[in-house]
Amino acid sequence: MDAFKDANPDRLSDMYGNGEIIESFQTKVASLLGKESALFFPSGTMAQQIALRIWSERRGIRKAAYHPLCHLEIHEENGLQELHGIESVLLGERDRLITLADVQAMGDDIGCLLLELPQREIGGQLPTYEELVAISDYCQAKGIPLHLDGARLFEVVPFYGRTEAEICRLFDSVYVSFYKGLGGVAGAILAGDTDLTEKSKVWKRRHGGDLVSLYPYILSSDYALELRRPRMGIYYEGAIELSSRLNGCSRLKTVPERPVSNMFHLHIELPLEQATEVFIKTTEQSGVGLISFLRETSETSCSTEIHIGDRYTNIPADRLEEALLLLDKLLRTAGE
Amino acid sequence: MDAFKDANPDRLSDMYGNGEIIESFQTKVASLLGKESALFFPSGTMAQQIALRIWSERRGIRKAAYHPLCHLEIHEENGLQELHGIESVLLGERDRLITLADVQAMGDDIGCLLLELPQREIGGQLPTYEELVAISDYCQAKGIPLHLDGARLFEVVPFYGRTEAEICRLFDSVYVSFYKGLGGVAGAILAGDTDLTEKSKVWKRRHGGDLVSLYPYILSSDYALELRRPRMGIYYEGAIELSSRLNGCSRLKTVPERPVSNMFHLHIELPLEQATEVFIKTTEQSGVGLISFLRETSETSCSTEIHIGDRYTNIPADRLEEALLLLDKLLRTAGE
């Protein structure tokens, strides 16, 4: 509700994509990302399918290349194929990043390439900036449009030590989300050249995303952006600190070992049931909840995903220390 | 903002279509419409394309029949064709309702039939209940799924003198909107059998409509439904009253002559420019704004659409009388 408490009640609602509220936010984010133009969408799923459709059509090849654990591949019920008739080409392997070599090996028969920064499903890993530049140069030389899944783009700015615009310059289009690290209610932006935006408006209407009013999402997105974008450095430092301490506990390993954003995966060398018991006891006895779920990875191991945000930075240092000591002790004695 | 002022801040957000907020509202509206199940969508465009896709697939024929001025035909940039590969079959004529004879003449090679109640683009006209029953019976006998575009369903309850559920019983699926006559922020429900809902969930995800949080739309929809559904009879009476008085003015004619919902079209036998001048003068001198736009229909005529809602019922009777007398006078002397 904080996002709305200073809202001006005389400000007019957006109407089917028009109006000051939506247009000024689009202009602001386009400028932040260093792009000519931007369009607000209710969801990233819609924004990205549409970007890939437009690029594939512009290149005349109905094939989009991306990581095997890309959001489009695992969370969208094959929308890209079912709605847009675009075939997916999976690049690289499930447990590592796409490399320049993968891109060079994929050939020219590709409508567009999508890279996700950071690659969420493998703990939020990132290529070096130099490798990104090399991939971007290669695609440009080959005429292959390069799209950025920047659902967590703001979160990687501290690691690269470059602005969002400097990173986005390597891509033809970029999608950013306002509810991941930023904590808005929902909503996404697709940014690129003006032609992309104009075509996107038509596709947004076709998808049923050109809502009569999007202002509840736009106002909360703007609020979240202003509030949390400046904190990404703090979250990143927190992720490095916490992962280092977790790696010091028995049976725990983080991926990446040293995070490159505000997130990482935590792998636990214990069967799911025993690990669950350990984390529940830790929370009950210390009052600090370190994780929110566990998923089985084998009969003897499980994992979770950790995001650093305001909640982490609000835990008093001594309480956290206590919780981690207890966790280590319980892990060491588990199954004995 | 009134929709949120009594919101419980401890109530958890919906998460990707799950959670008490979304599920309880879906159950409530399904029950109101007399259907087994219902799904909340960000937009009617998305809900209806998905309904037609599912029915066409169930029947094995990728053709949907509807009115030439159906929302899908004129406002959705051919989304149904471009995203779903479904061909449209236009039934009847642009300036009249679809009749039983039209339906009987369309043949069996149809995936589904959509009827819109009331038919908005021709002033909100309605078939008799008896004709509706006959069309429904015909479709059922032929095995043709019948879908209701009920964007303004709540608005036709007073005319038919039947509940929403009694009207919806004639249809296999129904879409209702929460921002037309009800005045919510945005949002729609698609209701039907459980199989339809389950399949709709998959398509909603594919369309990018399965947002992480839809609660701003759901809470405002629920608020608007409770507030304005009981007022539909008042709005309907208001439309009859106002249309009758407008028909008494020179150069004016309403379609329908006697409204069957809270809306009607107003046709003005004056060139657009002169009519604009008349309505501006009327508003300036009386302080009452009767219309919000005018569109040209020929070199010598124009028209507008009038919806009766809370604003109309709040105009004092003597102010309205004064405005209408002035309007009649200005219309009579226009162009002299």
Side-chain angles (χ1 to χ4, degrees):
Chain A
M1 289 292 133
D2 284 350
F4 298 102
K5 76 177 194 303
D6 296 327
N8 176 358
D10 295 329
R11 220 172 155 197
L12 289 174
S13 169
D14 55 308
M15 281 286 284
Y16 297 112
N18 299 309
E20 187 268 328
I21 283 183
I22 189 164
E23 287 164 16
S24 66
F25 188 61
Q26 288 171 169
T27 303
K28 172 180 172 172
V29 178
S31 156
L32 184 64
L33 303 177
K35 294 296 181 195
E36 209 173 83
S37 184
L39 196 65
F40 190 86
F41 283 86
S43 76
T45 295
M46 196 183 289
Q48 295 208 110
Q49 283 183 24
I50 289 173
L52 300 191
R53 171 70 182 250
I54 294 167
W55 291 129
S56 298
E57 282 196 347
R58 210 185 277 186
R59 190 158 155 88
I61 301 171
R62 291 246 177 151
K63 289 184 193 174
Y66 43 67
H67 191 272
L69 297 180
C70 171
H71 196 274
L72 285 111
E73 187 64 18
I74 65 174
H75 290 306
E76 302 183 11
E77 298 276 4
N78 286 323
L80 189 70
Q81 293 77 13
E82 296 283 344
L83 291 171
H84 294 284
I86 296 174
E87 194 185 318
S88 63
V89 175
L90 303 184
L91 274 196
E93 308 289 337
R94 291 171 66 91
D95 58 358
R96 64 163 177 83
L97 291 169
I98 291 173
T99 64
L100 175 62
D102 295 324
V103 176
Q104 287 167 334
M106 78 182 177
D108 292 358
D109 185 30
I110 286 292
C112 59
L113 169 61
L114 176 151
L115 291 185
E116 183 185 347
L117 301 182
Q119 195 76 46
R120 185 246 176 120
E121 299 290 343
I122 52 172
Q125 299 183 42
L126 286 176
T128 63
Y129 183 72
E130 292 64 35
E131 183 152 21
L132 262 190
V133 171
I135 293 175
S136 173
D137 287 350
Y138 177 87
C139 287
Q140 205 176 354
K142 292 284 184 182
I144 298 171
L146 186 58
H147 170 78
L148 170 57
D149 178 341
R152 294 164 184 80
L153 172 66
F154 302 105
E155 290 86 323
V156 306
V157 164
F159 172 76
Y160 281 132
R162 292 170 195 271
T163 64
E164 291 89 346
E166 285 172 311
I167 300 165
C168 292
R169 194 181 298 149
L170 306 174
F171 296 85
D172 297 295
S173 59
V174 50
Y175 138 69
V176 293
S177 169
F178 297 103
Y179 71 89
K180 310 267 158 51
L182 294 175
V185 179
I189 279 270
L190 177 65
D193 62 28
T194 303
D195 182 63
L196 179 86
T197 296
E198 289 307 309
K199 288 196 169 72
S200 296
K201 283 181 188 171
V202 175
W203 282 109
K204 181 178 159 188
R205 172 61 64 106
R206 287 174 178 153
H207 261 257
D210 192 15
L211 306 192
V212 59
S213 301
L214 280 164
Y215 69 82
Y217 295 142
I218 298 167
L219 294 178
S220 56
S221 293
D222 199 7
Y223 174 83
L225 182 68
E226 291 298 327
L227 184 69
R228 301 208 177 82
R229 183 170 163 249
R231 299 184 188 168
M232 289 299 165
I234 296 169
Y235 301 158
Y236 169 55
E237 296 298 334
I240 291 172
E241 179 192 71
L242 182 61
S243 68
S244 154
R245 296 170 81 173
L246 289 169
N247 280 317
C249 296
S250 49
R251 301 180 195 267
L252 297 186
K253 197 182 78 169
T254 71
V255 175
E257 192 187 334
R258 182 185 167 88
V260 290
S261 72
N262 73 327
M263 72 168 288
F264 56 86
H265 282 186
L266 179 65
H267 292 263
I268 302 114
E269 281 301 324
L270 268 183
L272 178 66
E273 208 176 310
Q274 285 181 42
T276 304
E277 208 179 301
V278 163
F279 280 98
I280 286 174
K281 267 195 194 160
T282 305
T283 301
E284 280 175 354
Q285 292 178 28
S286 71
V288 176
L290 291 165
I291 63 167
S292 58
F293 70 91
L294 280 170
R295 63 185 156 210
E296 196 164 63
T297 45
S298 78
E299 278 187 15
T300 59
S301 66
C302 55
S303 75
T304 187
E305 185 173 271
I306 292 182
H307 293 259
I308 301 299
D310 296 338
R311 276 198 217 168
Y312 175 77
T313 56
N314 289 337
I315 304 174
D318 56 338
R319 300 275 312 271
L320 180 63
E321 185 60 31
E322 195 188 312
L324 288 167
L325 286 171
L326 177 62
L327 175 67
D328 184 42
K329 187 180 132 202
L330 292 170
L331 283 166
R332 238 182 300 121
T333 55
E336 282 179 2
Chain B
M1 288 292 136
D2 283 351
F4 299 102
K5 76 175 193 304
D6 296 325
N8 176 357
D10 295 329
R11 218 172 159 198
L12 289 174
S13 169
D14 54 308
M15 282 285 284
Y16 297 113
N18 299 309
E20 188 266 328
I21 284 184
I22 190 165
E23 287 165 17
S24 65
F25 188 60
Q26 288 171 170
T27 303
K28 171 179 172 172
V29 178
S31 155
L32 184 64
L33 303 177
K35 294 296 179 193
E36 208 172 82
S37 184
L39 196 65
F40 190 86
F41 283 86
S43 75
T45 295
M46 197 184 289
Q48 295 209 108
Q49 283 183 23
I50 288 173
L52 300 191
R53 172 69 181 252
I54 294 167
W55 291 129
S56 297
E57 282 195 349
R58 209 184 277 187
R59 188 158 157 88
I61 302 170
R62 291 245 177 152
K63 288 184 193 173
Y66 42 68
H67 191 272
L69 297 180
C70 172
H71 196 274
L72 285 112
E73 187 65 18
I74 64 173
H75 290 307
E76 301 184 11
E77 298 278 2
N78 286 323
L80 189 71
Q81 292 78 12
E82 296 284 343
L83 291 170
H84 294 284
I86 295 174
E87 194 186 317
S88 64
V89 175
L90 304 183
L91 273 196
E93 308 289 336
R94 291 169 65 92
D95 58 357
R96 64 161 177 83
L97 292 169
I98 292 173
T99 63
L100 175 62
D102 295 323
V103 176
Q104 286 167 334
M106 79 182 175
D108 292 358
D109 184 30
I110 286 291
C112 59
L113 169 61
L114 176 152
L115 291 186
E116 182 185 347
L117 302 181
Q119 195 75 48
R120 185 245 177 123
E121 299 290 345
I122 51 171
Q125 299 184 42
L126 286 176
T128 63
Y129 184 73
E130 291 64 37
E131 182 152 23
L132 262 190
V133 171
I135 293 175
S136 173
D137 287 349
Y138 177 86
C139 287
Q140 205 175 355
K142 291 286 184 179
I144 298 171
L146 185 59
H147 171 77
L148 170 58
D149 178 341
R152 295 166 183 78
L153 172 66
F154 302 106
E155 289 87 323
V156 306
V157 165
F159 171 75
Y160 281 132
R162 292 168 196 272
T163 64
E164 292 89 347
E166 285 172 310
I167 300 165
C168 292
R169 193 181 299 147
L170 306 175
F171 295 85
D172 297 295
S173 59
V174 50
Y175 138 69
V176 293
S177 169
F178 297 103
Y179 71 89
K180 310 266 158 51
L182 294 174
V185 179
I189 279 270
L190 177 65
D193 63 28
T194 303
D195 182 63
L196 179 86
T197 296
E198 289 308 309
K199 289 196 168 75
S200 296
K201 283 181 188 170
V202 175
W203 282 108
K204 181 178 158 186
R205 171 63 62 108
R206 287 174 178 153
H207 261 259
D210 193 15
L211 307 192
V212 58
S213 301
L214 280 165
Y215 68 82
Y217 295 141
I218 298 167
L219 294 178
S220 56
S221 293
D222 199 6
Y223 174 82
L225 183 68
E226 291 298 327
L227 184 69
R228 300 207 178 85
R229 184 170 162 250
R231 297 185 190 168
M232 290 298 166
I234 296 169
Y235 301 158
Y236 170 55
E237 295 299 333
I240 292 173
E241 179 191 71
L242 181 61
S243 68
S244 153
R245 296 169 81 172
L246 289 169
N247 280 316
C249 295
S250 48
R251 301 180 195 268
L252 298 186
K253 196 183 75 171
T254 72
V255 175
E257 193 189 333
R258 183 185 166 89
V260 289
S261 72
N262 72 328
M263 72 168 289
F264 56 87
H265 281 185
L266 178 64
H267 292 264
I268 303 113
E269 281 300 325
L270 267 184
L272 178 65
E273 208 177 309
Q274 284 181 42
T276 303
E277 207 179 301
V278 164
F279 279 99
I280 287 175
K281 267 194 195 161
T282 304
T283 302
E284 280 175 354
Q285 293 178 27
S286 72
V288 176
L290 291 165
I291 64 168
S292 58
F293 69 92
L294 280 171
R295 64 185 157 212
E296 195 164 65
T297 45
S298 78
E299 279 187 17
T300 58
S301 65
C302 55
S303 75
T304 187
E305 185 173 271
I306 292 180
H307 293 260
I308 301 298
D310 296 338
R311 276 199 217 166
Y312 175 76
T313 55
N314 289 337
I315 304 174
D318 56 338
R319 299 275 314 272
L320 181 63
E321 185 60 33
E322 195 188 315
L324 288 166
L325 285 172
L326 177 61
L327 175 67
D328 184 42
K329 186 179 134 200
L330 292 170
L331 284 166
R332 238 181 302 123
T333 55
E336 281 179 4

